Amino acid sequence: MPLEHVAIIMDGNRRWADLRRYPRLKGHQEGVKSLKRLVRHVGERKLKYLTVYAFSSENWQRTEEEVNYLFELFGRVLTEEFAELAENGVRLTFLGQLAAMPPKLRKSMENTMQKTAGNTGLSLQVAINYGARLEITDAVKKIAQQVKAGLLDPADITEEMISDNLYTGGMPDPELLIRTGGEMRLSNYLLWQSAYTELFVTQTLWPEFSPEHFDQAIADFAQRNRRWGGD
Ligand code: IPE
Ligand code: IPE
Ligand code: MG
């Protein structure tokens, strides 16, 4: 079964820290290490697309301290990891409403996207300030603009057009969506794109999710019978 695109909801950082009586923010630090391990691993596995959920449009409801810490952490990781990512041919993009990001972080995200745009290795998408409903709403607005300009007849709007106008435009839908931390929900992630995606939920908390766990999810996926509503 071909596997090109895996999406991950990296959940359970704070529970991981709570269990060890560490400050909760340490959970996020460890989460970053887990992502680094995985990116190296999937680079070797020749996966084409990896899309990870780092901060949802609803995560603004967390304390100011946590939100600020997360943004600082993202900025630091970008600076520290850029060279290795670029060296390994990783193409890094960010999905979400980036305009709401702190200006310095936003600049750094835009620079990274620009500088890695020509890379041909793994395409790594990091969903930041991402919400699938926001994404779909943004796509509808773009399409409505074309209708308003007289360039498009509403009767000609297709599913493909909607897909193309999402932040993930041009990418194949994920075949597999992994959620760590055990919650059985999508939390506003890739709602359109995962119409027929296979789901894999593991109790393992994100900081503990290892390349071996990832390979187990892939092995499980390989046993699935994907029917797309057919026989
Ligand atoms: C996922 O871990 C990371 C983010 C949402 C930023 P959480 O912070 O949600 O940790 P839990 O799920 O509360 O343990
Ligand atoms: C989803 O996790 C968002 C990320 C992993 C970035 P949450 O922890 O925010 O999701 P809920 O609140 O359990 O649904
Ligand atoms: Mg969570």
Side-chain angles (χ1 to χ4, degrees):
M1 214 180 297
L3 183 59
E4 282 199 305
H5 186 178
V6 176
I8 305 186
I9 301 177
M10 309 185 289
D11 196 25
N13 290 351
R14 299 181 304 180
R15 277 168 282 166
W16 179 89
D18 286 348
L19 279 170
R20 288 162 184 76
R21 300 180 198 283
Y22 290 148
R24 287 187 135 191
L25 301 182
K26 186 170 164 61
H28 295 313
Q29 259 178 26
E30 290 300 308
V32 168
K33 289 189 193 161
S34 196
L35 179 60
K36 279 203 276 194
R37 276 199 304 266
L38 190 68
V39 169
R40 284 198 196 111
H41 179 65
V42 299
E44 286 158 16
R45 264 186 140 272
K46 306 277 177 241
L47 190 79
K48 278 204 181 134
Y49 300 90
L50 180 69
T51 303
V52 298
Y53 207 3
F55 190 87
S56 77
S57 48
E58 288 73 46
N59 287 147
W60 291 100
Q61 297 169 57
R62 303 220 173 161
T63 64
E64 204 181 327
E65 186 200 11
E66 183 173 356
V67 171
N68 288 341
Y69 180 83
L70 283 169
F71 290 165
E72 239 173 66
L73 183 66
F74 296 149
R76 198 158 4 114
V77 172
L78 261 188
T79 314
E80 287 172 8
E81 300 305 319
F82 179 78
E84 184 180 336
L85 290 171
E87 201 174 298
N88 292 327
V90 175
R91 179 166 182 258
L92 188 56
T93 53
F94 295 93
L95 312 177
Q97 286 201 332
L98 305 189
M101 293 287 102
K104 204 173 145 213
L105 177 60
R106 185 177 167 193
K107 190 102 216 117
S108 173
M109 295 196 294
E110 279 164 356
N111 276 339
T112 308
M113 286 198 274
Q114 249 171 26
K115 286 191 187 143
T116 63
N119 289 355
T120 54
L122 173 72
S123 243
L124 173 63
Q125 288 70 236
V126 179
I128 286 192
N129 195 18
Y130 173 89
R133 287 186 169 187
L134 260 177
E135 179 186 36
I136 295 168
T137 306
D138 278 350
V140 169
K141 284 183 188 163
K142 281 192 242 167
I143 294 169
Q145 284 299 342
Q146 292 183 46
V147 171
K148 191 179 173 198
L151 300 169
L152 180 64
D153 183 337
D156 294 332
I157 295 172
T158 61
E159 291 187 7
E160 201 189 351
M161 228 177 256
I162 295 175
S163 293
D164 287 347
N165 280 286
L166 298 173
Y167 307 146
T168 52
M171 282 176 221
D173 289 337
E175 292 95 347
L176 174 65
L177 170 62
I178 299 171
R179 180 166 191 151
T180 62
E183 307 293 359
M184 296 284 208
R185 55 176 172 260
L186 291 174
S187 301
N188 204 11
Y189 194 43
L190 302 175
L191 299 183
W192 175 278
Q193 298 89 334
S194 34
Y196 271 103
T197 298
E198 295 295 324
L199 307 179
F200 183 91
V201 176
T202 170
Q203 294 299 324
T204 306
L205 302 170
W206 176 250
E208 284 188 322
F209 189 79
S210 65
E212 291 71 36
H213 289 118
F214 181 83
D215 288 346
Q216 279 163 20
I218 303 285
D220 188 273
F221 168 81
Q223 304 299 320
R224 305 277 179 98
N225 181 10
R226 303 185 78 195
R227 285 187 293 276
W228 287 280
D231 288 329

